[in-house]
Amino acid sequence: MSGEDKSLKAAREALKKTQRVTAEAPAPPSEKRRKRKQKRFAPGAGLSAAAALWEKLTRLADAVWNGWLGPVTRFLAPFTKRIIGFYRWVFRTFAFTGPKEARVFSRNRGGFTVLALVVFTVAAPVLLVREIIPAASRTIYDAGMLATMKEDRLFLGRAELINPDRQLYQVMGCRDISGCDGGDNTTYYRLRDNVILDIKYWTTRFEPYDPAEIAGAMVSELNDCSIRYYGRRSKALGWYPYIISASCTPV
């Protein structure tokens, strides 16, 4: 091989090496940004992301409905149907005037009816939560616990009215007169109105059950009492035994 051929071959190899290095070299930052931008704003990329998000939201909604909302709605359906029927009946009865065959809508009566329904809608849940449910719970509790009524002899202090609205009294009791100084030797008892005893007293004595009369038997700071009560004391659960009758002598 002549010297000219060797020079030509070396030049070709050098050119190939240069092309290889250029191809393997990283693209400049501007070129990288341009390629990322092209990929980011490629046709259809936004639509596919939105479709994927919509599919996830649809699956989540189905899971929430099938797992929780659906069963609750089916359980409440009979109640909601009756409530809606009650609202319709009230509106048709009081918002229209005239004979049954030709009743006519009255704007004034309709306005008052809607206002009354709005007030009822706001007040009913408050009354239900604050009054009806607690009263029903106490009545059910009393009906069950009266069957477990007990008799005992205790030393009781003076009954104190702690809630006038509910006629709720509280009194401290102990078994040993030398240990009636508070602490673990004493137990707090309560007295309150009782619907079950009200019914019993009205049917047998023609008078209501009055916890104030029971509290009035504890006239001294310390009294020797024979009591009838039900329930037990639990500090963790907030339970108290309830005295329903007491015969006391001041000590």
Side-chain angles (χ1 to χ4, degrees):
M1 182 182 293
S2 63
E4 184 178 353
D5 293 336
K6 291 181 179 179
S7 299
L8 183 58
K9 184 178 179 181
R12 288 176 180 173
E13 291 178 356
L15 179 60
K16 290 179 180 179
K17 185 177 181 181
T18 303
Q19 290 176 346
R20 252 193 332 267
V21 172
T22 303
E24 295 174 357
S30 59
E31 183 70 14
K32 290 183 179 180
R33 284 195 296 271
R34 185 178 65 82
K35 289 182 178 180
R36 282 200 300 267
K37 188 179 295 185
Q38 289 177 350
K39 185 176 181 181
R40 189 185 307 166
F41 297 102
L47 294 177
S48 61
L53 178 60
W54 176 255
E55 184 179 358
K56 291 180 180 179
L57 292 176
T58 303
R59 290 179 180 176
L60 178 62
D62 290 341
V64 172
W65 175 262
N66 294 327
W68 185 66
L69 292 179
V72 172
T73 302
R74 287 190 291 271
F75 174 77
L76 295 177
F79 304 98
T80 55
K81 186 181 295 185
R82 287 178 173 81
I83 292 173
I84 293 173
F86 169 75
Y87 275 76
R88 286 177 177 173
W89 176 83
V90 170
F91 189 78
R92 290 173 180 173
T93 302
F94 297 100
F96 289 79
T97 185
K100 184 177 180 180
E101 297 78 10
R103 294 180 63 81
V104 179
F105 176 73
S106 171
R107 295 176 61 182
N108 292 336
R109 291 169 63 95
F112 283 117
T113 302
V114 171
L115 180 61
L117 288 176
V118 170
V119 173
F120 173 78
T121 303
V122 175
V126 177
L127 183 64
L128 182 68
V129 173
R130 294 186 58 182
E131 300 294 338
I132 297 177
I133 292 179
S137 300
R138 287 195 299 269
T139 302
I140 294 173
Y141 174 81
D142 291 340
M145 294 303 295
L146 280 172
T148 65
M149 192 165 47
K150 305 172 185 177
E151 296 184 0
D152 205 347
R153 188 174 188 88
L154 298 172
F155 292 99
L156 299 176
R158 188 189 299 273
E160 298 179 0
L161 182 62
I162 60 175
N163 190 331
D165 296 334
R166 291 176 50 196
Q167 286 188 292
L168 181 63
Y169 294 82
Q170 182 168 280
V171 60
M172 185 180 66
C174 59
R175 297 187 180 279
D176 186 359
I177 190 172
S178 62
C180 291
D181 54 355
D184 296 335
N185 296 324
T186 59
T187 300
Y188 281 98
Y189 293 79
R190 288 189 172 183
L191 304 86
R192 62 169 169 78
D193 195 15
N194 188 307
V195 175
I196 305 298
L197 292 178
D198 274 336
I199 297 173
K200 179 181 178 180
Y201 275 47
W202 273 115
T203 55
T204 57
R205 305 183 184 184
F206 303 103
E207 63 181 15
Y209 170 74
D210 188 3
E213 291 185 357
I214 313 300
M218 307 162 197
V219 294
S220 177
E221 295 298 327
L222 190 62
N223 307 275
D224 184 5
C225 301
S226 296
I227 66 170
R228 298 169 69 200
Y229 72 99
Y230 63 86
R232 56 172 298 182
R233 179 73 171 111
S234 173
K235 295 181 180 180
L237 299 176
W239 292 350
Y240 289 86
Y242 288 92
I243 298 174
I244 63 170
S245 66
S247 176
C248 299
T249 302
V251 176

